[in-house]
Amino acid sequence: MAKKKDEKNPHKTVVTEKSLNFLESYINNPSPTGFEWAGQRMWLDYLEPYIDEYFTDNYGTAVGVINPDAPYKVVIEAHADEISWFVNYITNEGLIYVIRNGGSDHQIAPSKRVNIHTDQGIVKAVFGWPAIHTRHGEKEEGPQLKNIFLDCGCTSKEEVEKLGIHVGCVITYEDEFMVLNNRYYVGRALDNRIGGFMIAEVARLLKENGKKLPFGLYIVNSVQEEIGLRGAEMIAQRIKPNVAIVTDVTHDTGTPMINKVTQGDLACGRGPVVSYAPAVQTNLNKLLIRTAEQHQIPFQRQASSRSTGTDTDAFAYSNGGVPSALISLPLRYMHTTVEMIHKEDVDNVIRLIYESLLNISDGQDFRTFK
């Protein structure tokens, strides 16, 4: 069963006020799938004091490196992209229909404010929806991809196009970061820019605590996870790591309308989640669990039947097989604009990755037998 908090071992805060200020700016900055560059630049600017060098690839995955000359390579990884929409069709009356860029939820769209990204800058718009008065007596039709639309205040297609809007422009929600009841971080795109934040904080702790690793550490913020783990697939081939520890979010199953029988029993505030899946290398996973127990870090367990659905799968099955493991952060209301995570869980994911790195030896072989 999951490890519970030990009242004799009070929570250890990791995130500083400076870190939190960066997190707020980072979450508020849009980073839609395929258009991650601005967010990646911001992330590298924060990470740069704690690394020896960095590089990017053609699609925007950003990598900070500590000990770049070391032959044994360990990756800690998250993904940088957020779900979004594309302009797909502009009507003669100046309304805009959309398609998904990633797993965007059509049911939350009506009445949301959005930013349409154009070469001329941001254009504001809203997802319109018929007033309740006009639906009286009619069979209710719920939001669907075919009936949600944007209104940017124009009355013709030509007026829309003069604003710089064209088919293919990307669209993001404008909701911003906040702290709820001094307990939860709330915002859009915590899936999974919170992961990028946490691995950057690991680098900060290594630097500030003067830790010298016996291997090369590659802090990887991948692009295009939301449409099939594509950034991780590309960067795994370039780095050719020996080990990979991936962090992403998973579902808090304690809120209404979620079946724990199928989704498992996980909750915000109960600690990081370690996963069991074919892609998760058994002995590396055991190292994570031993580390959590050694440092009194609370943790939970999750099982996946075939794949984790995260970048773990991309790293595990690359380069002839890379020992990989997943540390997940419980999150409420995934793929909405009010994603929620517990502050203590964030601290504990950072701690678990940090302490696990200190337990990995240079050249460590994770095979069960040779």
Side-chain angles (χ1 to χ4, degrees), residues 81-252:
D81 58 316
E82 67 176 289
I83 56 170
S84 53
W85 302 96
F86 279 124
V87 173
N88 188 50
Y89 170 62
I90 304 170
T91 71
N92 291 333
E93 295 74 29
L95 299 176
I96 299 169
Y97 285 84
V98 299
I99 59 171
R100 293 185 177 95
N101 185 19
S104 303
D105 189 347
H106 54 277
Q107 292 200 46
I108 71 162
S111 82
K112 285 292 186 184
R113 303 181 186 198
V114 301
N115 294 321
I116 305 175
H117 300 260
T118 80
D119 291 340
Q120 299 176 27
I122 297 293
V123 176
K124 298 290 184 179
V126 298
F127 273 107
W129 194 245
I132 189 171
H133 315 70
T134 66
R135 307 197 307 270
H136 180 68
E138 300 289 334
K139 181 181 178 181
E140 287 279 358
E141 184 177 4
Q144 302 174 57
L145 191 60
K146 68 181 182 181
N147 65 14
I148 57 174
F149 62 91
L150 291 176
D151 189 333
C152 60
C154 295
T155 58
S156 69
K157 181 177 182 179
E158 291 73 23
E159 190 178 357
V160 172
E161 291 174 338
K162 285 181 180 178
L163 293 176
I165 299 170
H166 56 75
V167 170
C169 282
V170 71
I171 303 149
T172 56
Y173 294 115
E174 66 172 26
D175 298 65
E176 294 191 338
F177 179 87
M178 69 175 179
V179 180
L180 190 63
N181 195 29
N182 198 33
R183 182 177 292 132
Y184 290 97
Y185 301 136
V186 179
R188 40 162 265 285
L190 290 173
D191 174 15
N192 182 36
R193 265 177 285 161
I194 189 63
F197 169 74
M198 293 188 297
I199 59 176
E201 287 294 273
V202 171
R204 176 179 67 82
L205 291 183
L206 290 169
K207 183 75 170 184
E208 292 178 353
N209 294 336
K211 299 296 183 180
K212 303 296 183 183
L213 298 174
F215 47 76
L217 180 64
Y218 292 70
I219 303 113
V220 179
N221 212 7
S222 295
V223 298
Q224 298 193 25
E225 187 272 352
E226 294 290 357
I227 49 92
L229 322 182
R230 301 308 186 193
E233 289 177 349
M234 291 184 275
I235 204 66
Q237 300 302 328
R238 177 167 176 176
I239 296 173
K240 294 181 169 48
N242 299 97
V243 180
I245 298 173
V246 173
T247 186
D248 206 328
V249 295
T250 192
H251 303 287
D252 177 326

